Amino acid sequence: MKVLVTGGAGVVGKALCRELQARGVCVRVLTLPGDTGVDLLPEGVEVVYGDVADYASIRPAFDGVDCVFHLAAILLSRDASAFERINAGGTRNVVSACQDSGVHRLLYVSSISVTYPVLTPYGASKLAGESVVRESGLDWTIVRPTLVIGDGGGVEFRMYADFVCRFPVYPLPGGGTARKKPVRSVDLVKGIAAAGLAPEAIGNTYALAGPEVMTMAGMAARILRTAGKRHLMVPLPWWIAKRLAVLRNWIGGRRVSAEQALAGFLYDAVPDIENARKDLDYNPEKAL
């Protein structure tokens, strides 16, 4: 069996390549020209170059593969149009390339943020991608990862950990009461691989989360304890947080809009993972 992994030179993509190879799968990676991440890909992975936002540049990569794992996306940008162009538009191009090349099986990596009651531009772009995949006529599967931790992955978690460790007194919007089920990178990768390869997964959507519910404040406390720090958390009322554009700079710098920075503090992400346990033999461990 041969698969194509879009965005395969990213942190999660490289780990997925290793996992797929361990399962006896031949792997081809599609990544942007000049991506230095290809130097760290496992031996034996074929590399092709293209931009998912440009159909003509990616079409040849789909020839001769049995399944596509579509990971390529952007998570952080202050340009809202970039989410539509790359995440939604890129997914439309991937679906079209599958259809035109005769690839029937597609695994789409979405995001748990599509379940938020109010969508950020990122969440809206991933939800639009889900719609394209469901209407494609392909044998599709969708996975929705939660907050990713470990193995060099999880840019959102790394920004959050840096935030709470950086300041002796740190503010948390809403007091950090939003609940999460963070997932270890190693468990996420196993779940993605299983979802793309299991016939039982066709036509299904799976949340890939960890087994433990924790609040953002509780997560911060564990981060600080691991780092050997005794910083003080100050609850920040929502009405103040929403007016402090500086929060964006505290948490994520110029890559993140204030809207996106606040979304993770505002909404719970505690999905049920029982269908993933049953269909995919998905048994994640605690992330922290």
Side-chain angles (χ1 to χ4, degrees):
M1 182 180 191
K2 188 168 190 175
V3 305
L4 173 67
V5 181
T6 73
V11 174
V12 174
K14 290 194 289 287
L16 178 61
C17 290
R18 292 192 293 270
E19 178 66 23
L20 290 168
Q21 285 184 322
R23 295 174 183 241
V25 176
C26 295
V27 181
R28 175 186 295 165
V29 159
L30 172 67
T31 192
L32 289 168
D35 188 343
T36 58
V38 298
D39 296 334
L40 300 176
L41 283 168
E43 185 178 351
V45 170
E46 179 186 358
V47 179
V48 295
Y49 296 97
D51 183 345
V52 293
D54 176 9
Y55 176 81
S57 75
I58 68 171
R59 169 60 186 82
F62 290 71
D63 289 334
V65 301
D66 303 294
C67 174
V68 173
F69 288 77
H70 179 35
L71 279 66
I74 58 167
L75 174 63
L76 305 173
S77 178
R78 294 192 64 196
D79 178 7
S81 67
F83 294 115
E84 164 59 30
R85 184 178 72 256
I86 298 170
N87 295 356
T91 301
R92 285 190 285 270
N93 286 338
V94 166
V95 165
S96 294
C98 286
Q99 294 167 335
D100 293 344
S101 61
V103 178
H104 298 290
R105 187 76 173 93
L106 174 63
L107 182 288
Y108 174 57
V109 178
S110 182
S111 167
I112 200 63
S113 66
V114 303
T115 65
Y116 290 171
V118 177
L119 297 179
T120 64
Y122 168 74
S125 71
K126 298 302 280 187
L127 187 61
E130 287 194 8
S131 180
V132 171
V133 169
R134 288 196 177 95
E135 296 170 3
S136 66
L138 302 173
D139 293 335
W140 58 266
T141 301
I142 295 170
V143 295
R144 294 171 172 171
T146 56
L147 186 66
V148 184
I149 295 177
D151 194 26
V155 62
E156 290 178 299
F157 176 77
R158 294 201 309 272
M159 288 192 303
Y160 183 58
D162 178 66
F163 166 62
V164 299
C165 289
R166 190 188 320 160
F167 303 105
V169 178
Y170 63 97
L172 281 190
T177 58
R179 300 178 304 146
K180 308 292 180 181
K181 291 176 74 174
V183 60
R184 298 191 309 157
S185 177
V186 63
D187 290 324
L188 172 62
V189 165
K190 289 179 180 179
I192 293 173
L197 300 177
E200 299 87 350
I202 293 174
N204 291 325
T205 299
Y206 300 98
L208 297 182
E212 183 182 20
V213 177
M214 64 182 72
T215 64
M216 294 295 287
M219 197 182 308
R222 293 195 191 185
I223 290 168
L224 291 169
R225 186 162 57 246
T226 300
K229 297 179 181 291
R230 299 175 61 86
H231 292 177
L232 176 66
M233 186 272 283
V234 176
L236 189 66
W238 282 115
W239 69 270
I240 295 178
K242 290 178 180 179
R243 287 164 173 77
L244 283 179
V246 70
L247 180 68
R248 178 192 67 237
N249 296 322
W250 288 346
I251 298 173
R254 296 181 178 180
R255 295 178 299 169
V256 185
S257 69
E259 178 186 25
Q260 190 171 354
L262 280 174
F265 291 100
L266 185 57
Y267 303 121
D268 292 342
V270 288
D272 189 343
I273 60 173
E274 288 310 307
N275 61 341
R277 289 187 190 275
K278 176 172 65 71
D279 293 351
L280 310 178
D281 193 26
Y282 178 70
N283 294 292
E285 298 181 10
K286 291 181 179 180
L288 285 175

